[in-house]
Amino acid sequence: MTQADTATPLLRARGITKHYGAVVALDAVDLDLHAGEVLGVVGDNGAGKSTLIKALTGAISKTAGTVEMDGKDIQITTPTEAKAAGIETVYQDLALVNELSITKNMYLGREIVRDTLFGHLFGTLDFAKMDTEIRALFQKLDIRITDIYREAEAFSGGQRQAVALAKTVMFGKRIAILDEPTAALGVRESKMAMDLVRSLKDHGLSVIMITHNMQHVMNYCDRVMVLRLGRLAAVRDVADVDGDTLVGLITGAAEDKVA
Amino acid sequence: MTDLPRPSAPPVSAPTPGGSNLDVLKHQFQQIWQVLAALALIYMVFFVLSEPFRSFDTLLSIFGQAAILAILACGTTVVLISGGLDLSVGSIFAVVGVIVGIVLAEYRLPVPVAVLIGLAAGALMGALNGTIQVLTKVPAFIVTLGGLTAYKGIAEILASGRDLSRFPENFQVLGSGYLVPMGIMFGVALLTGLFLTKTRLGNHAFAIGGNEEVARLSGVNVRKSRIYYYMIGGVLAATAAILEVSKLNFAMPARGQSYELFAIAAVVIGGTSLFGGRGGVGKTLIGMLIMQTIIVGLSYLGVGTSVQRIAIGIIIILAVYWDVWRRPAR
């Protein structure tokens, strides 16, 4: 038992299970996320990390399991329901549409419509307002992208991830869920992305972050849960664990510290 | 799909330039200047080679002849941008022509009523195409190929044993001459362009065509939107059909044959991606003008329709090759 378990968690998931036909991708996984914490999710490839967050956020339907927020049952069966509950997600490789401008990507699905009768009737977009909000946010987060009218494909991996994370700052009310925010990024770009992850916390969001990077777990997470072969293998306070032990938990050879 | 960072891209810390309205305009122009240049070049070639081609009347006739197909192609543009495909618009065109003919020649209803009935029929058939795809998950190619033959059959059944000609004079105005169809073409193109660039539903067409899964995860109602895009394709096919019935002063189910292919050709020549996510009606208008200029120019040079078809065929392949070539490798 960790100390945080005593309070009612912000998000409490119980018995999250996902079957693909005969394959059990996720087997009765429990997850608690407390207000204001960064929870790391680690595990080997195929451990069920992405499946877990997709099941939590309604991107895929779960076979079984319940989710509570603030101690009350909630049903999240579509990404829209997750957003309505204040949960923003950055899915790996599925954050931005290459062909859309940064502005359109930031507001995709939540565009600001002109506040006129005509605007509400035909859904005409208020680009000036969206641009202004994005520029203000980028400045606040120190994201140095000014040509936000340009298509997302024109930007580097780091810039794209920065945009995706900025989107969670803009719209996330309670929880940000990140699937490997530094995958495929260089060292400097990773640092930039992780600074943004930290600023999510500063903006009052609780964070669930999948990562392969033990350094990031140690430096940025409060607690960490380990998945192995679709099952919850361990939950630890980061302060009580070291990298070698974590790797041991991930591979299932906890005694083999050099693994 | 993996998105690896491209080595040539600027690092995060370097501020990216631009942001003024001029930069935005420049950016938009960069996407269209190549097809505009191609059109100008092709026009110049025929201008030099053929004396009668140089007249203003020729220019007018290029626009005039392009008008009806261009209106249809505006709808095709929307559908292709959204990652869809509608092979049935030529047959929708035939059905609407026949329906409008019946309403005018047999029921003698007022022209605006006939036009509205025609547009509604087009919307309905387009919506049916979209709905079947969304519900059955049968690919667009197959569903609309089915529509191509089924709607054609409906047009034949509706028209059999009927004389659909000699319409009221105030109806004939719509398609007569070059100016009215041209005006309607520009009006339709403007409205479609505004729809695509300025409205939420229009923007979602690019998002869905670009990456349907990201659009869905972002909360876009992909299925409902798709049905709307096919409806727009149907309505614009109907608009084109109404103009042609008016122009010819008769309706028959054989009209509209292969129009879907000419429309797709114009859209692709203009630079709208066959793979979805990019494009626009301005490009489609230019694509249609390129095609029409070649047809008119070649016939002025005494080249027969068979060779014209070969030329258009080659240009379609080159246009798609260009689209494939400039797409970033993933």
Side-chain angles (χ1 to χ4, degrees):
Chain A
M1 289 288 273
T2 55
Q3 192 188 8
D5 283 342
T6 49
T8 305
L10 170 57
L11 189 78
R12 183 207 294 268
R14 286 293 173 269
I16 305 295
T17 302
K18 177 67 186 177
H19 295 181
Y20 288 105
V23 179
V24 181
L26 212 55
D27 189 6
V29 172
D30 296 343
L31 177 151
D32 285 336
L33 177 71
H34 298 279
E37 77 169 343
V38 178
L39 172 67
V41 178
V42 297
D44 219 336
N45 290 333
K49 306 182 296 292
S50 291
T51 309
L52 174 63
I53 66 155
K54 283 186 170 164
L56 282 177
T57 58
I60 58 174
S61 60
K62 53 184 183 290
T63 311
T66 58
V67 180
E68 289 174 15
M69 231 171 139
D70 304 317
K72 285 188 256 347
D73 265 322
I74 55 164
Q75 296 295 325
I76 297 176
T77 54
T78 64
T80 309
E81 284 171 357
K83 289 175 204 298
I87 302 173
E88 276 302 306
T89 313
V90 180
Y91 300 98
Q92 200 182 354
D93 297 331
L94 290 170
L96 306 179
V97 179
N98 282 325
E99 289 85 349
L100 293 189
S101 72
I102 297 301
T103 302
K104 290 174 183 173
N105 262 303
M106 285 287 289
Y107 279 94
L108 182 57
R110 278 177 291 216
E111 294 84 354
I112 300 178
V113 163
R114 277 175 197 277
D115 197 16
T116 58
L117 181 65
F118 185 85
H120 289 289
L121 220 52
F122 293 96
T124 52
L125 301 174
D126 193 340
F127 284 112
K129 191 164 177 190
M130 289 190 272
D131 285 350
T132 309
E133 304 243 329
I134 290 168
R135 286 184 198 288
L137 179 68
F138 279 11
Q139 187 152 27
K140 197 165 82 177
L141 299 175
D142 197 26
I143 297 172
R144 294 174 202 174
I145 295 175
T146 53
D147 44 357
I148 55 177
Y149 58 87
R150 219 172 263 282
E151 288 78 16
E153 65 195 349
F155 296 91
S156 72
Q159 288 173 316
R160 293 162 58 92
Q161 194 59 276
V163 171
L165 291 169
K167 196 171 168 177
T168 66
V169 174
M170 183 169 263
F171 294 106
K173 290 187 257 327
R174 312 289 308 269
I175 298 169
I177 301 184
L178 315 173
D179 192 349
E180 294 204 43
T182 62
L185 297 188
V187 174
R188 205 160 48 125
E189 293 192 320
S190 289
K191 169 83 169 60
M192 168 97 186
M194 292 313 295
D195 286 348
L196 281 169
V197 172
R198 189 164 272 164
S199 74
L200 287 174
K201 194 177 170 177
D202 299 340
H203 280 82
L205 291 168
S206 310
V207 179
I208 299 174
M209 178 175 74
I210 293 181
T211 181
H212 274 297
N213 187 318
M214 293 308 125
Q215 207 73 52
H216 291 165
V217 173
M218 294 302 158
N219 293 346
Y220 296 93
C221 295
D222 301 300
R223 289 188 311 133
V224 56
M225 59 188 281
V226 182
L227 292 179
R228 191 165 65 232
L229 302 172
R231 289 207 179 87
L232 181 60
V235 182
R236 296 278 187 276
D237 278 343
V238 166
D240 301 342
V241 76
D242 58 62
D244 288 347
T245 314
L246 262 186
V247 172
L249 289 166
I250 290 168
T251 56
E255 65 287 346
D256 181 6
K257 302 241 165 154
V258 267
Chain B
M1 197 189 85
T2 51
D3 272 325
L4 296 171
R6 304 203 182 88
S8 59
V12 178
S13 51
T16 50
S20 72
N21 285 334
L22 193 69
D23 288 319
V24 178
L25 274 179
K26 221 161 77 185
H27 179 62
Q28 285 168 349
F29 182 70
Q30 273 168 0
Q31 304 188 334
I32 208 164
W33 75 267
Q34 288 141 322
V35 267
L36 259 180
L39 174 61
L41 188 74
I42 290 165
Y43 187 80
M44 293 301 282
V45 167
F46 289 116
F47 196 90
V48 171
L49 291 180
S50 161
E51 174 124 33
F53 186 84
R54 291 169 207 170
S55 74
F56 182 70
D57 276 354
T58 305
L59 189 62
L60 208 60
S61 80
I62 288 173
F63 273 93
Q65 287 177 27
I68 287 174
L69 266 173
I71 290 166
L72 187 112
C74 284
T76 302
T77 309
V78 174
V79 172
L80 283 181
I81 286 174
S82 74
L85 176 72
D86 195 342
L87 294 173
S88 74
V89 285
S91 297
I92 292 177
F93 184 100
V95 174
V96 171
V98 168
I99 287 178
V100 170
I102 292 171
V103 170
L104 287 172
E106 279 191 16
Y107 294 92
R108 308 209 164 272
L109 293 179
V111 171
V113 176
V115 168
L116 281 180
I117 289 175
L119 295 178
L124 194 71
M125 285 182 275
L128 194 61
N129 285 344
T131 309
I132 291 173
Q133 281 174 51
V134 163
L135 292 183
T136 64
K137 303 216 166 97
V138 175
F141 180 87
I142 298 300
V143 170
T144 61
L145 189 65
L148 183 138
T149 65
Y151 294 146
K152 188 72 182 291
I154 290 172
E156 282 166 1
I157 290 168
L158 287 175
S160 73
R162 289 188 153 111
D163 170 23
L164 304 173
S165 60
R166 290 184 295 280
F167 303 125
E169 253 170 49
N170 60 342
F171 180 68
Q172 292 176 37
V173 175
L174 289 175
S176 65
Y178 292 138
L179 286 176
V180 181
M182 259 172 66
I184 295 175
M185 171 185 82
F186 282 121
V188 164
L190 186 69
L191 282 179
T192 314
L194 288 174
F195 165 74
L196 281 172
T197 56
K198 304 285 182 212
T199 72
R200 178 159 38 194
L201 187 61
N203 269 282
H204 288 174
F206 291 91
I208 294 169
N211 195 328
E212 180 171 344
E213 186 64 1
V214 175
R216 186 181 74 86
L217 293 173
S218 301
V220 173
N221 191 333
V222 173
R223 289 147 61 101
K224 199 166 114 189
S225 305
R226 277 203 186 286
I227 294 172
Y228 280 125
Y229 304 137
Y230 282 98
M231 274 178 81
I232 290 168
V235 167
L236 294 186
T239 309
I242 291 165
L243 285 190
E244 197 184 71
V245 169
S246 157
K247 181 179 173 178
L248 300 174
N249 203 19
F250 66 82
M252 56 182 284
R255 303 301 306 180
Q257 180 112 33
S258 307
Y259 279 19
E260 64 283 336
L261 298 181
F262 283 114
I264 292 170
V267 173
V268 168
I269 290 172
T272 290
S273 175
L274 203 52
F275 310 105
R278 321 158 199 263
V281 283
K283 294 175 176 181
T284 295
L285 280 195
I286 296 170
M288 188 56 82
L289 289 174
I290 286 177
M291 231 162 67
Q292 212 60 48
T293 305
I294 290 171
I295 290 170
V296 171
L298 286 179
S299 48
Y300 270 113
L301 294 178
V303 177
T305 46
S306 308
V307 178
Q308 291 173 22
R309 288 202 180 109
I310 295 171
I312 297 292
I314 291 169
I315 287 166
I316 292 168
I317 294 170
L318 285 176
V320 174
Y321 174 70
W322 173 239
D323 182 28
V324 172
W325 182 79
R326 74 181 158 177
R327 249 177 112 78
R330 302 228 185 114

